[in-house]
């Protein structure tokens, strides 16, 4: 509902604005019991930060969808969004591993670790949202 969860949005956006500070954690982990509204809050947050241009990738895992919650799917989904939303990432990414490669460590190295080393850091911290990571 409009006007609800404003305290949570304010806290998350304040963290994002201060994330460039070396003393600030680079991970904001929202935890709560089942059915407490974490996914609803995350979807509303995504809508807000998209309008602000502060999010570069997102993925919503689902316990009832094995494919959507597979580690390889999550990594490929995030990399595809970064290729379209983070300047220089597509060029740095180069050749994408074939879909037969499913080892998460190998995919992470090929899709993130190596390409991100040659991408210029953004002026402001940007957000990658992953919802229901515990369902992967």
């Amino acid at each position: 509902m409009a006007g609800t969860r404003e305290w949570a949005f304010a806290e998350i956006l304040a963290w994002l604005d201060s994330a460039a500070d070396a003393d600030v954690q680079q991970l904001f982990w929202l935890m709560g019991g089942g059915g407490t509204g974490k996914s609803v809050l995350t979807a509303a947050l995504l809508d807000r930060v998209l309008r602000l241009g502060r999010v570069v990738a997102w993925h919503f895992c689902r316990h009832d969808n094995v494919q959507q919650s597979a580690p390889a799917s999550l990594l490929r989904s995030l990399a595809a969004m970064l290729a379209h939303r983070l300047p220089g990432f597509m060029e740095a990414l180069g050749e994408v591993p074939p879909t037969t490669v499913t080892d998460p460590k190998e995919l992470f190295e090929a899709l993130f670790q190596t390409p991100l080393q040659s991408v210029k850091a953004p002026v402001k911290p940007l957000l990658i949202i992953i919802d229901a990571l515990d369902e992967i």
Side-chain angles (χ1 to χ4, degrees):
M1 293 182 64
T4 62
R5 303 177 301 265
E6 292 302 322
W7 64 271
F9 298 132
E11 190 170 324
I12 294 166
L13 291 173
W15 163 80
L16 181 58
D17 287 337
S18 64
D21 185 349
D23 295 332
V24 175
Q25 291 292 321
Q26 299 293 303
L27 175 68
F28 191 102
W29 193 295
L30 179 64
M31 295 187 302
T36 59
K38 298 177 303 294
S39 292
V40 172
L41 184 136
T42 302
L45 173 68
L46 175 59
D47 181 55
R48 285 183 186 221
V49 292
L50 269 172
R51 285 185 269 136
L52 297 172
R54 299 292 301 273
V55 65
V56 288
W58 61 90
H59 188 87
F60 286 72
C61 300
R62 294 185 49 100
H63 72 280
D64 60 350
N65 184 328
V66 175
Q67 180 59 32
Q68 191 171 336
S69 295
S73 294
L74 172 120
L75 294 172
R76 289 179 187 281
S77 170
L78 294 176
M81 281 187 246
L82 284 174
H84 291 283
R85 297 176 158 278
L86 183 63
F89 187 81
M90 186 180 294
E91 297 77 17
L93 185 58
E95 189 78 21
V96 176
T99 56
T100 54
V101 176
T102 58
D103 176 57
K105 185 175 180 178
E106 184 178 343
L107 281 174
F108 184 83
E109 185 177 311
L111 298 175
F112 298 97
Q113 187 174 341
T114 301
L116 285 173
Q117 290 175 2
S118 61
V119 172
K120 184 180 177 192
V123 175
K124 289 182 173 182
L126 298 171
L127 192 59
I128 295 175
I129 295 174
I130 303 173
D131 183 65
L133 186 59
D134 63 324
E135 296 178 11
I136 201 160

